[in-house]
Amino acid sequence: MAFQRAVKGTVLVGGGALAILGLSQFTHYRRKQVNLAYVEAAEYFTEPVNREPPSREAQLLTLKNTSEFDILVIGGGATGSGCALDAVTRGLKTALVERDDFSSGTSSRSTKLIHGGVRYLQKAIMKLDIEQYRMVKEALHERANLLEIAPHLSAPLPIMLPIYKWWQLPYYWVGIKLYDLVAGSNCLKSSYVLSKSRALEHFPMLQKDKLVGAIVYYDGQHNDARMNLAIALTAARYGAATANYMEVVSLLKKTDPQTGKECVSGARCKDVLTGQEFDVRAKCVINATGPFTDSVRKMDDKNAAAICQPSAGVHIVMPGYYSPESMGLLDPATSDGRVIFFLPWQKMTIAGTTDTPTDITQHPIPSEEDINFILNEVQ
């Protein structure tokens, strides 16, 4: 399994502007804009408009027959679907289009973890980096929030950190305890130390002769694809016109009568299933296409400089006996310093992930080099 993620992005907000949202920016954007974007009509949306989501045919008719939407979201991943749901429940006339299927890209190919980032905390302490610390603090808060609001899609997961040298035991123990401390009231469960024999009961394929013991800490595990689909369906139930297999082929523009400048006013969309094209007009267009951010930006300005550096991640799926059903494993001692997880998922084990620069492709595939790296680390 291979996926691409955008590791750098920006947010451009304004009347008739092309707004670009990356996954990490959406939370900050939403919080900062909550007062600006508040609409009185949102008070009336106490119940979904539709008990059952409208059919795709009905959604297409809405897209074709609506003279102008308030917001058009391009991209039906977690970020795009979240933008659509947020907008429609504020009373804004909202459209959402996705080139493939909902959650067919990065939003279904993660490591399935919701975590603050133990390694980020290590960097924050070792380099006295306050921004890294704030990121960990916020991520731990979001982890607790997701576990609370979506218990049917999320659950705490103990993760074991094997220790192979005696001096590492107090070193990692202090680091993990600081992780618990930063989580504060959002700490899922206090970390603890496992003896060598207990660690081998959970993961008998660890190197017995070198193993000293292990430390277990808690993070969250999350069904990302189901969450993405649930958000998109909820947006549709509240009245957002949502359609998958709708590709944006160009952006529509109009001249602002006040400034005399051209501004984005919608998109030309193509039904991938039938080949039919039609215009969807909107006051604001949000670019939530993840690693494809720059391709949409260049529709607006072909000379626009690239702002997105795509990164490729690869996981491999192994038999379930590589990990117990109720515990994962983190290996920080890889040959090049990258962290690898072994996580139980649907009675199998996910091992990964890599993190390497890549070119943008619509259907990324894992490279032989990445697969061999993970297999070698497993050995």
Side-chain angles (χ1 to χ4, degrees):
M1 170 172 40
F3 65 96
Q4 300 165 133
R5 53 179 171 246
V7 297
K8 184 179 180 183
T10 186
V11 183
L12 306 174
V13 182
L18 178 65
I20 302 160
L21 290 182
L23 188 58
S24 61
Q25 284 85 18
F26 175 59
T27 301
H28 299 288
Y29 165 77
R30 180 175 175 181
R31 288 176 180 168
K32 291 178 181 178
Q33 299 296 322
V34 66
N35 292 327
L36 287 174
Y38 182 76
V39 177
E40 292 293 338
E43 296 177 359
Y44 301 108
F45 284 86
T46 55
E47 288 292 332
V49 175
N50 305 293
R51 286 291 178 182
E52 294 295 330
S55 65
R56 184 173 183 273
E57 290 73 17
Q59 302 278 37
L60 292 179
L61 285 175
T62 303
L63 286 172
K64 293 176 185 178
N65 297 332
T66 301
S67 58
E68 185 180 51
F69 289 94
D70 293 317
I71 290 180
L72 167 62
V73 183
I74 306 174
T79 301
S81 299
C83 289
L85 177 58
D86 189 274
V88 73
T89 51
R90 294 178 188 276
L92 300 175
K93 194 180 296 183
T94 306
L96 169 66
V97 294
E98 160 60 40
R99 176 173 62 181
D100 208 323
D101 211 343
F102 297 111
S103 196
S104 60
T106 308
S107 296
S108 65
R109 306 184 187 189
S110 73
T111 314
K112 313 302 179 186
L113 283 178
I114 41 174
H115 61 106
V118 174
R119 292 299 292 268
Y120 298 127
L121 181 61
Q122 181 188 31
K123 291 179 182 178
I125 295 172
M126 300 296 288
K127 298 181 180 181
L128 299 178
D129 190 334
I130 189 64
E131 291 303 320
Q132 292 271 5
Y133 171 80
R134 288 171 178 166
M135 182 181 69
V136 173
K137 185 78 173 177
E138 181 183 13
L140 289 170
H141 174 76
E142 294 296 339
R143 181 189 70 177
N145 181 57
L146 198 53
L147 287 165
E148 180 182 357
I149 65 175
H152 60 303
L153 302 177
S154 314
L157 177 71
I159 298 176
M160 192 173 84
L161 176 65
I163 306 296
Y164 291 102
K165 295 179 181 179
W166 282 107
W167 67 265
Q168 290 179 333
L169 191 59
Y171 174 76
Y172 284 122
W173 184 84
V174 170
I176 295 299
K177 283 300 178 182
L178 283 174
Y179 191 59
D180 293 345
L181 183 63
V182 173
S185 60
N186 295 325
C187 181
L188 302 179
K189 189 175 179 181
S190 182
S191 55
Y192 57 92
V193 176
L194 276 182
S195 65
K196 175 180 177 178
S197 59
R198 290 295 305 277
L200 289 171
E201 286 179 13
H202 291 291
F203 289 90
M205 284 174 282
L206 292 173
Q207 298 178 13
K208 298 181 179 63
D209 55 336
K210 297 181 180 180
L211 189 68
V212 172
I215 298 174
V216 176
Y217 71 97
Y218 283 77
D219 258 328
Q221 192 168 44
H222 180 63
N223 193 325
D224 52 356
R226 278 192 61 190
M227 183 198 73
N228 189 171
L229 187 58
I231 293 173
L233 287 170
T234 305
R237 290 179 62 198
Y238 274 102
T242 63
N244 53 2
Y245 298 100
M246 289 296 298
E247 181 178 6
V248 171
V249 295
S250 63
L251 295 176
L252 306 177
K253 294 187 177 183
K254 66 179 181 181
T255 302
D256 190 325
Q258 294 181 345
T259 63
K261 295 182 179 180
E262 276 193 332
C263 59
V264 176
S265 61
R268 180 76 174 177
C269 298
K270 177 183 178 180
D271 187 339
V272 177
L273 302 181
T274 64
Q276 182 183 13
E277 295 186 10
F278 56 89
D279 293 339
V280 178
R281 299 194 175 274
K283 298 174 183 175
C284 177
V285 176
I286 295 179
N287 177 5
T289 55
F292 303 98
T293 293
D294 285 330
S295 62
V296 177
R297 291 178 64 245
K298 289 182 184 297
M299 292 180 187
D300 178 34
D301 178 7
K302 64 180 180 180
N303 297 318
I307 61 171
C308 174
Q309 171 58 60
S311 172
V314 171
H315 301 93
I316 61 174
V317 181
M318 303 189 300
Y321 57 73
Y322 275 94
S323 65
E325 290 187 7
S326 58
M327 183 176 288
L329 181 139
L330 180 151
D331 179 14
T334 59
S335 58
D336 64 357
R338 285 182 288 184
V339 169
I340 282 189
F341 287 95
F342 300 85
L343 303 171
W345 185 252
Q346 298 184 356
K347 302 189 181 300
M348 302 294 283
T349 298
I350 295 177
T353 177
T354 61
D355 186 8
T356 52
T358 185
D359 295 325
I360 296 291
T361 56
Q362 189 167 348
H363 299 289
I365 59 174
S367 69
E368 197 71 26
E369 182 181 357
D370 283 337
I371 294 173
N372 287 333
F373 168 76
I374 296 175
L375 290 175
N376 288 335
E377 297 304 328
V378 169
Q379 292 176 359

